[in-house]
Amino acid sequence: MPTSVTHDILIIGGGGAGLRAAIAAAEHSAKLSIGIVSKVYPMRSHTVSAEGGAAGVMRDNDSLDQHAKDTIFGADFLADQDAVEILVNEAPGELIQIEHWGCPWSRDPDGRISVRSFGGMSVDRTVYAADKTGFHMLHTLFQTSLKYESIHRYDECFVTSILADDGKARGVTFINMYSGQVQLITAKAVIICTGGCGRIFPFTTNASIKSGDGMALAYRSGVPLKDMEFVQYHPTGMPGTGILITEASRGEGGWLVNKDGYRYLQDYGLGPPTDTPVHRKMELGPRDILSRCHMQEFQKGRTFEGPYGHYVHLDLRHIGEAVIDSKLPFVRELSRNYLGIDPVYEPIPVRPVVHYMMGGIHTDADGKTPMDGLFAAGETACVSVNGANRLGSNSLTELLVFGARAGRAAAQYAEQEPAGPSQPLDALAGDEQRRLEQQYFRKEGGKVRISEIRDAMQHAMEEGVGVYRNEEDLLKTCQTLRDLRHRFSDIRIEDKTDIFNTERTTVLELDYMLDLAEAIANSALQRKESRGSHTRTDYPDRDDENFLKHTMVLRTPEGPKIEYAPVTITRWQPEERKY
Amino acid sequence: MAEATLKIFRGTAERSEYQTFSVPTYQGMVVLDAVHDIQAGQAPDLAVRWNCKAGKCGSCGAEVNGNPRLLCMTRMDQYPAGQPIVVEPMRRFPLIRDLVCDVSWNYEVNKRIKPLAPKPREADGTYRMQQYDIDRVQEFHKCIECFLCQDVCHVMRDHGKYDFAGPRFMVRLAALAMHPLDTVDRLRDLRDAQGIGYCNITKCCTEVCPESISITDNAIIPLKERVAGEFYDPLAWIWRALRGKKADTRNPVH
């Protein structure tokens, strides 16, 4: 029988959203006991990799309506406008709050918080801490979380299932990496904050932990995933490693040039080119459009060819060493370490790379999912504020605003929810332990290597669900993924030990990713239009009549089932998205 | 294709051995790539922590040829060809398995540090700070908590003095002490609970820091000066007795 612990609120994931939710719940009431289960130590979470900044209205030349409009426009009108208004209204307060907790925002000479320009934003509104914004935020949130006696952490514990009783989320089972034991935490409310799933793709800025565990856990619990076909390609990743070169490098004035040294974005309606950056123009266009321009340059034969495929140049030389060192020190550091290039003297090779999931677990603006007691926030959730394309620097804001809201909503829910009986959960946890032992821990035989299925899945995703998509390739990818799901049952697991068995977690992650890959590919297959990051060569136009709606994908034994839900339009009527 | 030999520590505290593997090398390869190559083909059961592969998450700290390093930031071509590259777990911490050790002690130490308590906001609800002050704090906040400095520090590694909080937490304490908003006095804790007196400024921590934080010069020495000023400077005692003031605990000496 798995050992059991009880908390009022249990949070899966200890990154930015999870910690913000934990702090919000702890501040709501000191009586609530809060658990955070994370498969890594807190500072390893992928929030550390966010570089550019967090958007919020901070200046007199800006307005909440303008931030909302930019976000909705950037989202190609697929964002829920009531949720976007909540995001922009609560953003400034959250940004000041985290400064109050010690986050060292970069300053202007008069001592105020500095703001920088970002893609698709019509004024400077991105607050930053050099080019390690996510890092400083996570650091601050983690140290702040230590103040609360009521927050308990379970580091390096891998969640395998959400337990439900009477239709309500009531706890989780997890593998303790140190002992290999399956354990149970019961709770009145569960919040999923596990981030994205970029690892489904071969070439991504995402760290190895980004396997979408929480999305898959919700999906398996019968909760729909929303708008999963919208995958953001960031236009400036390093070839080979996929390491991100922040959009802030373009906000500070960097240029994208093709192999002829030509600022090619002017050929795609983003011009005219200017020496200093202009909001929403050229290099400050939104990410989906910039990634498509790159692919078209490649098709025209105007990109460079390297050992890791096609690339263009991000030129920062004209910005000068002083600005690079003060505003973009990390870009210089990464370029030197991983490319052997100093951006002060040489352009940086870059190409589009999978970066962010606009889609995720279906929630309302309080992080509530359709399942009672189950909440989600951060990249793993889809509220939706990002719609068909997220604007850079809205995601750090999103994890603060909606992390806090989910934490408070879960706290209120837990306060009025009676503690249910523990016997059904003990029984469910026992079942889960037996399932894990039979399928994985004690599995004998098996012929297929983990890496074989993972590579095939990643390849299929790149082929079918890349920057450009069409019916034929999508059908092929959906079929390949179905076949891989069947082959997965013949997986070979060689490590039979219990202590820190990473092969075990790798195979469980692959299991999750296969579910999500199918959800993404099938959602993309059914959306017969082009909107935001989802570009169908066979349906090149946006089709508001038939597809101004959210995709909802549900898991069935036969594969993903697609349904749709309406988009909330309040004050901004859909119009052509032109920059 | 060129090959490299790696001698990797395998096993647990009860039973361990060094296993030797050969891997093909390529330009730009780091030690973590070699470990992944071994995991993919020769030893799927090799336990190692890793995540971002970009020197940001701090997961893959280990010892390469006896030096504490991040595996993802350690280029293979810096080691002489033909000699095996020895990869071991950080020695200072209890071993879990293979290259993975138990660093949870650090989190316990961290819990005992008094958190930031900011001064009141300006009338308009914001704080005004200068970039000069922010730069200093940002340097300390660069710490990725890889704990290589905790691994190398001889106070703990060789002398087993675990009442010293270690360089990582001197950096954290310095970040708090020099934060423009902070109001808390932690000098007594620094002397007693965090044992700053144990550090004899050998700068080993600064040498291994993958984030190039000047741990000794910018964090530990200023903190030592403040502790000395507060508790050990007889002139300062008299001065404070006459003026009726406490030592200045917030602003560093420029």
Side-chain angles (χ1 to χ4, degrees):
Chain A
M1 179 67 74
T3 57
S4 157
V5 187
T6 299
H7 290 293
D8 292 305
I9 299 170
L10 193 274
I11 298 168
I12 312 172
L19 292 171
R20 184 66 191 88
I23 295 167
E27 294 212 316
H28 177 84
S29 166
K31 288 191 194 126
L32 293 168
S33 123
I34 300 153
I36 303 177
V37 183
S38 171
K39 65 177 174 179
V40 290
Y41 279 112
M43 287 303 292
R44 318 293 183 235
S45 300
H46 195 50
T47 308
V48 292
S49 299
E51 297 172 9
V57 174
M58 306 300 280
R59 292 294 161 82
D60 294 340
N61 67 347
D62 198 0
S63 72
L64 296 174
D65 271 11
Q66 195 54 45
H67 187 188
K69 190 181 173 197
D70 288 345
T71 302
I72 291 161
F73 200 77
D76 220 347
F77 294 92
L78 197 67
D80 287 325
Q81 298 184 0
D82 51 348
V84 172
E85 289 207 60
I86 290 172
L87 174 82
V88 302
N89 289 344
E90 297 183 11
E94 283 290 334
L95 295 171
I96 299 288
Q97 173 63 75
I98 193 168
E99 176 172 76
H100 197 140
W101 289 330
C103 188
W105 297 133
S106 293
R107 318 304 291 192
D108 274 353
D110 66 359
R112 292 187 302 169
I113 295 171
S114 193
V115 283
R116 63 165 42 138
S117 34
F118 240 69
M121 301 282 189
S122 56
V123 290
D124 290 358
R125 65 166 70 97
T126 299
V127 171
Y128 60 99
D131 54 356
K132 295 187 176 180
T133 310
F135 185 97
H136 289 295
M137 280 175 53
L138 185 67
H139 195 110
T140 305
L141 288 169
F142 172 58
Q143 305 297 358
T144 304
S145 75
L146 296 176
K147 287 200 290 199
Y148 302 93
E149 301 265 330
S150 56
I151 298 177
H152 307 265
R153 283 202 336 273
Y154 300 85
D155 295 335
E156 303 201 305
C157 291
F158 186 96
V159 175
T160 67
S161 72
I162 292 170
L163 301 181
D165 184 30
D166 200 18
K168 294 174 177 174
R170 289 291 315 282
V172 302
T173 53
F174 64 88
I175 300 171
N176 182 331
M177 294 289 291
Y178 294 95
S179 63
Q181 298 305 303
V182 178
Q183 293 174 265
L184 161 68
I185 295 181
T186 62
K188 293 174 186 169
V190 175
I191 313 177
I192 302 175
C193 301
T194 52
C197 57
R199 281 278 153 178
I200 293 172
F201 291 82
F203 189 59
T204 173
T205 60
N206 288 193
S208 80
I209 54 173
K210 299 321 318 154
S211 46
D213 304 2
M215 290 183 190
L217 288 166
Y219 191 43
R220 289 171 184 198
S221 302
V223 173
L225 302 179
K226 185 159 71 188
D227 296 338
M228 291 296 281
E229 62 272 38
F230 297 101
V231 178
Q232 179 161 79
Y233 277 77
H234 194 293
T236 59
M238 281 186 198
T241 57
I243 292 171
L244 177 70
I245 301 294
T246 173
E247 188 163 313
S249 56
R250 285 172 280 129
E252 298 296 341
W255 295 336
L256 284 170
V257 296
N258 65 17
K259 70 172 181 186
D260 306 321
Y262 176 66
R263 289 174 71 188
Y264 57 91
L265 294 174
Q266 61 189 285
D267 292 358
Y268 302 92
L270 288 163
T274 47
D275 285 348
T276 49
V278 174
H279 292 291
R280 303 180 2 134
K281 294 286 176 196
M282 291 299 289
E283 285 81 4
L284 287 179
R287 291 173 178 174
D288 56 338
I289 294 176
L290 263 53
S291 292
R292 281 196 289 274
C293 295
H294 175 105
M295 296 308 287
Q296 290 186 32
E297 282 296 293
F298 165 63
Q299 275 151 13
K300 290 176 188 166
R302 302 205 295 190
T303 52
F304 298 93
E305 248 339 283
Y308 303 104
H310 49 88
Y311 64 89
V312 294
H313 274 158
L314 173 63
D315 197 342
L316 304 182
R317 288 174 294 182
H318 56 283
I319 298 175
E321 188 167 6
V323 174
I324 290 176
D325 280 349
S326 63
K327 302 281 183 68
L328 305 165
F330 195 41
V331 168
R332 192 172 189 188
E333 196 181 311
L334 286 170
S335 305
R336 279 174 161 170
N337 286 338
Y338 289 94
L339 296 167
I341 278 174
D342 186 342
V344 172
Y345 305 107
E346 290 165 276
I348 311 167
V350 292
R351 59 162 281 182
V353 47
V354 168
H355 183 56
Y356 186 88
M357 295 295 298
M358 269 70 75
I361 302 165
H362 172 48
T363 72
D364 67 11
D366 288 321
K368 282 188 189 139
T369 73
M371 183 185 214
D372 279 346
L374 187 64
F375 300 77
E379 187 178 349
T380 202
C382 181
V383 179
S384 131
V385 292
N386 298 313
N389 174 62
R390 175 176 70 81
L391 292 189
S393 75
N394 266 349
S395 65
L396 287 177
T397 306
E398 180 188 357
L399 68 81
L400 291 174
V401 169
F402 291 100
R405 290 178 71 90
R408 286 192 292 267
Q412 282 162 7
Y413 177 89
E415 278 177 333
Q416 31 166 292
E417 181 69 15
S422 64
Q423 294 92 325
L425 299 172
D426 289 338
L428 286 170
D431 292 347
E432 174 65 2
Q433 184 173 22
R434 275 186 292 281
R435 177 186 81 93
L436 291 168
E437 281 176 359
Q438 280 165 13
Q439 285 184 17
Y440 303 110
F441 301 178
R442 313 277 166 252
K443 182 174 168 36
E444 296 297 336
K447 288 187 281 297
V448 191
R449 274 183 180 276
I450 296 171
S451 56
E452 200 180 320
I453 292 192
R454 190 175 51 210
D455 293 351
M457 171 191 70
Q458 291 174 340
H459 181 71
M461 290 305 280
E462 191 170 48
E463 289 293 301
V465 209
V467 174
Y468 285 104
R469 305 158 178 190
N470 65 66
E471 175 134 341
E472 191 190 335
D473 290 341
L474 278 165
L475 280 169
K476 223 185 289 169
T477 292
C478 289
Q479 188 54 50
T480 307
L481 294 170
R482 215 49 318 232
D483 297 344
L484 288 172
R485 172 45 80 192
H486 292 303
R487 284 179 67 202
F488 180 77
S489 52
D490 194 28
I491 201 105
R492 183 164 82 217
I493 301 170
E494 299 187 14
D495 191 348
K496 298 283 192 276
T497 58
D498 282 331
I499 298 168
F500 223 89
N501 184 333
T502 46
E503 196 185 23
R504 217 175 250 180
T505 46
T506 306
V507 79
L508 288 165
E509 286 172 343
L510 179 58
D511 191 6
Y512 290 151
M513 289 195 287
L514 283 170
D515 271 7
L516 299 176
E518 278 201 275
I520 294 168
N522 282 275
S523 299
L525 176 65
Q526 297 302 329
R527 185 174 282 276
K528 294 174 178 166
E529 64 155 353
S530 291
R531 181 187 298 273
S533 68
H534 174 71
T535 314
R536 291 277 302 251
T537 52
D538 43 356
Y539 299 97
D541 298 322
R542 197 174 87 188
D543 178 1
D544 283 349
E545 203 172 310
N546 295 304
F547 286 102
L548 184 56
K549 56 189 181 184
H550 296 297
T551 306
M552 300 288 218
V553 54
L554 288 151
R555 189 170 185 259
T556 73
E558 294 76 43
K561 187 174 123 208
I562 307 288
E563 295 175 358
Y564 292 95
V567 177
T568 308
I569 310 273
T570 57
R571 295 194 281 137
W572 293 275
Q573 290 307 313
E575 57 182 277
E576 192 194 354
R577 180 168 171 247
K578 217 166 163 324
Y579 284 91
Chain B
M1 192 182 282
E3 290 220 324
T5 308
L6 278 88
K7 238 173 95 177
I8 298 185
F9 178 93
R10 301 294 312 270
T12 59
E14 287 77 45
R15 230 187 59 188
S16 64
E17 59 176 332
Y18 287 85
Q19 285 180 0
T20 305
F21 303 93
S22 268
V23 291
T25 56
Y26 50 86
Q27 207 200 342
M29 187 180 193
V30 293
V31 176
L32 185 62
D33 291 324
V35 170
H36 280 159
D37 188 283
I38 291 162
Q39 254 186 338
Q42 306 172 59
D45 59 346
L46 171 61
V48 59
R49 284 193 187 101
W50 69 284
N51 186 23
C52 76
K53 269 203 83 192
K56 278 180 279 189
C57 78
S59 303
C60 62
E63 296 187 12
V64 182
N65 287 354
N67 293 314
R69 318 266 324 196
L70 290 181
L71 297 179
C72 73
M73 299 274 284
T74 306
R75 297 270 287 243
M76 296 280 283
D77 55 15
Q78 66 183 285
Y79 299 105
Q83 288 175 29
I85 299 170
V86 183
V87 187
E88 299 162 296
M90 288 191 282
R91 221 191 301 166
R92 144 80 181 86
F93 301 108
L95 179 66
I96 294 175
R97 180 183 157 193
D98 299 345
L99 299 177
V100 179
C101 49
D102 180 1
V103 295
S104 56
W105 175 82
N106 293 288
Y107 295 96
E108 296 307 313
V109 173
N110 197 6
K111 277 187 201 161
R112 294 195 287 272
I113 297 175
K114 288 189 188 122
L116 181 93
K119 65 183 184 186
R121 297 184 193 196
E122 312 278 340
D124 62 358
T126 66
Y127 289 116
R128 299 292 163 91
M129 290 178 247
Q130 290 306 309
Q131 186 62 36
Y132 174 85
D133 294 319
I134 290 295
D135 284 341
R136 193 168 45 209
V137 179
Q138 279 185 353
E139 183 193 2
F140 301 134
H141 279 239
K142 271 168 39 181
C143 171
I144 58 175
E145 297 208 321
C146 61
F147 304 127
L148 293 179
C149 59
Q150 304 287 77
D151 179 42
V152 81
C153 177
H154 66 99
V155 175
M156 295 175 285
R157 188 183 178 107
D158 299 330
H159 304 292
K161 298 289 185 194
Y162 301 131
D163 39 353
F164 179 46
R168 156 61 194 131
F169 296 105
M170 294 300 129
V171 168
R172 167 140 164 73
L173 284 154
L176 288 164
M178 298 181 203
H179 196 292
L181 301 182
D182 190 50
T183 56
V184 181
D185 182 351
R186 299 180 190 77
L187 291 181
R188 190 168 293 276
D189 283 356
L190 256 172
R191 185 189 65 175
D192 302 337
Q194 280 105 28
I196 191 171
Y198 279 117
C199 169
N200 59 344
I201 322 185
T202 51
K203 297 197 179 186
C204 312
C205 50
T206 305
E207 275 170 33
V208 301
C209 179
E211 285 293 314
S212 309
I213 302 172
S214 301
I215 303 175
T216 317
D217 289 349
N218 291 353
I220 299 181
I221 291 175
L223 290 177
K224 274 179 172 285
E225 284 170 350
R226 292 179 187 203
V227 170
E230 175 78 6
F231 300 111
Y232 305 110
D233 182 347
L235 289 175
W237 292 343
I238 296 162
W239 181 247
R240 283 201 296 273
L242 290 172
R243 298 276 305 266
K245 270 190 182 174
K246 268 177 62 62
D248 183 359
T249 55
R250 251 185 30 77
N251 295 316
V253 181
H254 298 308

